[in-house]
Amino acid sequence: MTSPVDRAQAAARDGGAEWHARVELRGRVAGAGFLVTPRTVVTCAHVAGDGEDLTVTFTERPGTPPVPARIAAHGGWTGGATDLGDLAVLELAEDVPIAPAALAPVGAAHGTAPRKLVVYGFPAGYDEGVLTEQRVTAAQLIKREWLQLEAWHPGGQPLAPGFSGAAVALADTGEVVGMVTAAAGGTGVRTGRMMPTQVMARYWPDLRGLVPTSGHTGADRARLRALVERAARAGVDCDPVRLYSAAADPFDPPPPEEGFDSLWSAALFVLCELDGPGAARTVARFADRLQALLHTPAVQPSAPEWSPILVELAHSGAGDGLVRVEVSAYSEGRRHPVDSGTVERHRLHAYVGERIEAAFRYLTPGADELVAFALPRDWLDWPVDRWESAPDDATPLGCAYPLVVTDHARRKASTRHVLTRAWKRLDTLPGARVHRVECGGPEEPGRLRMRLRQPGVCLAGFGTAPAAAHLRPHFHTSLTAPAPVIVWSRDGCGSGQQECAGTDGCTGKAFLDALDACVASVPPAELPRHILALREEADAEEDHWAHGIQLLWDDPRVFADPHAAAAAHTGSPVA
């Protein structure tokens, strides 16, 4: 079962490869380029040459004749291999009915973990095109102009003449982060150079209006782009200004005085001119209204068929250096014990990773895997999502699988009964409504309990780790209310003082603002998969707001009754 994020990104990729262009000079293949508006292709200056007898072919539309083009802008390149400004903007003789490339936010090419990049070029012998997988060596710009590319696989297709001018795109979303300008050229050397979009915009300022802000998630950008593509293909007749005005917040900028000449320009305005937590809500409303115009109601995905792996950790009673561990798998409502034992702390990560791998053989084929850690209350802030997936795989668990934590103390029968009733109500909600617990908020714990029991509230959001002394009563209240979902940031506000709450400089407030905007349209049952996508983004982007996000998610229907399971596994430390 795919998540909404997967479906949105797949929709953006399907049919989105037609913007790759082959540039021909005097009838011969000179290199590559990519379509950025219906009438504009970007390529290298050395590919465009003097611009005489210049044509562009879109090879992903077989049979489409070459389109004449002229050089409309030039970066000032003077002919040398290391000269700056190797960029040319080509104006086509006519608009082409192809969706332009989507550009990624600045800096998306690199992160704490390497991001796979894909390049589509036309080296000798491949007039139809060929792909190569690359990555950025480092975030360091060479001569303030280029990022160094290196092959993702040592045995893969290297960069070569014919890739110049090609778009460098993120493998997972298809969004463009830059343009290939050179290959290393030396025998056995598998590197090259890319001009990132922020440098390209230095030479062609019009490109700035096509680069989205970093405040929008990949899923939001992909969904909006897919809808605009569908509307363009369907010939939907609507006023883009009215569409934007209906979606905009009161504090969003007004549309340009000259209006929008197309849905594309309105969508780009939303993605590129709006920033901050409120921008995500405007993007969602714009997309919702466009979807309604397409007369295709939004698909309401059924609740994930979770097939969970439960990792239960407990104090051993034999000292702080030992932990009691039990790992179980759940399939079609039945609990399958995998392994249990008392483990030394320094072996805990490896032990858990191996048992999780063993648990997969019990899961229901085709169901959604879910890794859940049941922890003592004083361990709920453990960064289990950052533990390595396996001894030979450094991928964090929280970036490999949907991962949640639960509280041992909430596994008693009375709490499970109340939570089950709450989840039956939550199944009808289209999104997760957040009750904010600000850093130094004045709300009394007793009033917080009342708030969390209101019909529309399902998620308690904390701007800082609940281990902080001033938040302990509020966190305890959220656990015992019980709130079905609790989210906080391990890297949140370190102050937590009364005067900090609600101020723009407070990192806890920024976290809650982003969280509120991000989950407002996510059904509570889908939050584990949505948080997985956020963790993947945060792992790739150093300054992402979701670093250290912790999700306590408790749906008792997903797990068999621990008391009924006790007979099947009497050695359990928590049954």
Side-chain angles (χ1 to χ4, degrees):
M1 181 181 294
T2 58
S3 71
V5 173
D6 299 329
R7 289 193 293 272
Q9 292 179 345
R13 291 192 296 268
D14 292 346
E18 295 180 336
W19 46 260
H20 291 292
R22 187 179 68 205
V23 179
E24 295 107 7
L25 189 65
R26 300 184 182 90
R28 299 176 63 108
V29 176
F34 55 101
L35 190 74
V36 293
T37 77
R39 203 167 189 156
T40 309
V41 167
V42 177
T43 186
C44 290
H46 77 263
V47 171
D50 59 10
E52 291 294 326
D53 195 13
L54 194 64
T55 57
V56 172
T57 300
F58 296 95
T59 58
E60 290 304 293
R61 281 207 165 187
T64 301
V67 182
R70 69 176 188 87
I71 298 176
H74 195 282
W77 180 71
T78 54
T82 60
D83 287 347
L84 306 181
D86 191 3
L87 176 139
V89 180
L90 310 183
E91 182 184 344
L92 304 180
E94 58 188 15
D95 288 0
V96 293
I98 294 173
L103 306 189
V106 171
H110 42 74
T112 52
R115 301 201 69 177
K116 183 185 289 188
L117 308 172
V118 176
V119 184
Y120 191 148
F122 304 92
Y126 292 95
D127 285 358
E128 75 285 3
V130 68
L131 293 165
T132 177
E133 296 179 330
Q134 301 285 313
R135 62 177 154 201
V136 170
T137 304
Q140 173 67 49
L141 279 174
I142 299 171
K143 210 172 178 180
R144 297 185 65 245
E145 185 88 353
W146 307 288
L147 290 173
Q148 181 170 300
L149 295 173
E150 60 184 35
W152 184 265
H153 295 294
Q157 166 69 45
L159 291 173
F163 279 102
S164 292
V168 181
L170 298 171
D172 54 351
T173 68
E175 294 174 309
V176 175
V177 295
M179 176 182 71
V180 174
T181 58
T187 303
V189 181
R190 305 175 70 83
T191 61
R193 287 181 176 176
M194 171 185 90
M195 183 185 291
T197 53
Q198 69 267 30
V199 176
M200 295 169 65
R202 187 193 308 159
Y203 296 110
W204 185 45
D206 287 355
L207 193 70
R208 294 194 190 105
L210 304 175
V211 178
T213 68
S214 59
H216 305 300
T217 68
D220 289 341
R221 298 192 302 270
R223 181 191 176 214
L224 183 55
R225 177 177 174 78
L227 287 169
V228 173
E229 288 177 3
R230 287 176 54 199
R233 289 195 297 268
V236 170
D237 183 19
C238 75
D239 182 347
V241 172
R242 291 183 62 187
L243 186 65
Y244 170 75
S245 300
D249 273 338
F251 296 106
D252 285 337
E257 290 185 6
E258 66 276 14
F260 302 114
D261 58 8
S262 66
L263 270 176
W264 281 115
S265 59
L268 286 170
F269 186 85
V270 170
L271 291 175
C272 304
E273 300 297 329
L274 308 186
D275 203 353
R281 292 190 288 269
T282 301
V283 170
R285 285 192 296 268
F286 189 95
D288 289 344
R289 283 164 173 75
L290 181 54
Q291 190 155 34
L293 286 172
L294 286 165
H295 303 293
T296 53
V299 176
Q300 296 296 332
S302 58
E305 299 175 9
W306 295 120
S307 192
I309 296 169
L310 180 64
V311 181
E312 300 177 272
L313 305 183
H315 297 282
S316 71
D320 292 340
L322 297 173
V323 178
R324 282 288 296 165
V325 184
E326 180 175 1
V327 179
S328 308
Y330 288 79
S331 176
E332 298 178 349
R334 296 182 60 243
R335 183 184 187 188
H336 303 273
V338 176
D339 201 357
S340 65
T342 301
V343 183
E344 297 170 315
R345 283 278 188 105
H346 71 273
R347 294 180 50 238
L348 183 60
H349 296 192
Y351 181 93
V352 168
E354 291 169 356
R355 272 59 183 183
I356 288 175
E357 180 62 32
F360 268 90
R361 67 176 179 267
Y362 296 104
L363 298 190
T364 305
D368 289 80
E369 73 282 359
L370 174 72
V371 176
F373 279 79
L375 305 171
R377 194 157 291 181
D378 56 333
W379 291 357
L380 284 174
D381 204 37
W382 276 17
V384 291
D385 59 293
R386 301 302 303 172
W387 291 6
E388 293 184 355
S389 297
D392 59 348
D393 184 359
T395 304
L397 273 171
C399 293
Y401 315 111
L403 184 148
V404 303
V405 299
T406 64
D407 177 20
H408 267 308
R410 303 211 316 181
R411 290 176 64 75
K412 61 186 181 182
S414 59
T415 305
R416 288 168 61 84
H417 177 82
V418 174
L419 281 170
T420 300
R421 187 176 63 215
W423 273 101
K424 289 181 178 178
R425 171 175 50 82
L426 297 183
D427 287 342
T428 66
L429 297 182
R433 180 181 166 192
V434 179
H435 180 77
R436 301 163 65 105
V437 183
E438 304 282 0
C439 301
E443 188 173 41
E444 292 295 329
R447 185 169 293 276
L448 174 61
R449 181 184 302 277
M450 294 172 57
R451 298 280 191 188
L452 293 176
R453 288 184 171 178
Q454 291 178 353
V457 176
C458 75
L459 191 158
F462 286 77
T464 190
H470 66 285
L471 282 181
R472 285 174 190 154
H474 297 78
F475 189 62
H476 182 269
T477 297
S478 299
L479 289 171
T480 58
V485 184
I486 307 175
V487 179
W488 66 93
S489 170
R490 298 191 302 268
D491 303 336
C493 177
S495 167
Q497 301 303 310
Q498 176 69 42
E499 60 272 15
C500 178
T503 62
D504 289 337
C506 173
T507 55
K509 177 184 182 300
F511 173 82
L512 290 176
D513 287 345
L515 175 70
D516 200 2
C518 189
V519 304
S521 59
V522 180
E526 296 183 7
L527 281 171
R529 183 71 70 182
H530 196 73
I531 297 298
L532 165 65
L534 283 177
R535 285 173 174 149
E536 290 178 310
E537 288 184 11
D539 195 55
E541 299 177 26
E542 185 175 351
D543 297 325
H544 198 283
W545 66 269
H547 276 291
I549 193 169
Q550 194 85 331
L551 172 65
L552 188 149
W553 184 91
D554 239 339
D555 185 351
R557 301 169 301 178
V558 172
F559 304 98
D561 187 335
H563 300 287
H569 199 51
T570 55
S572 168
V574 296

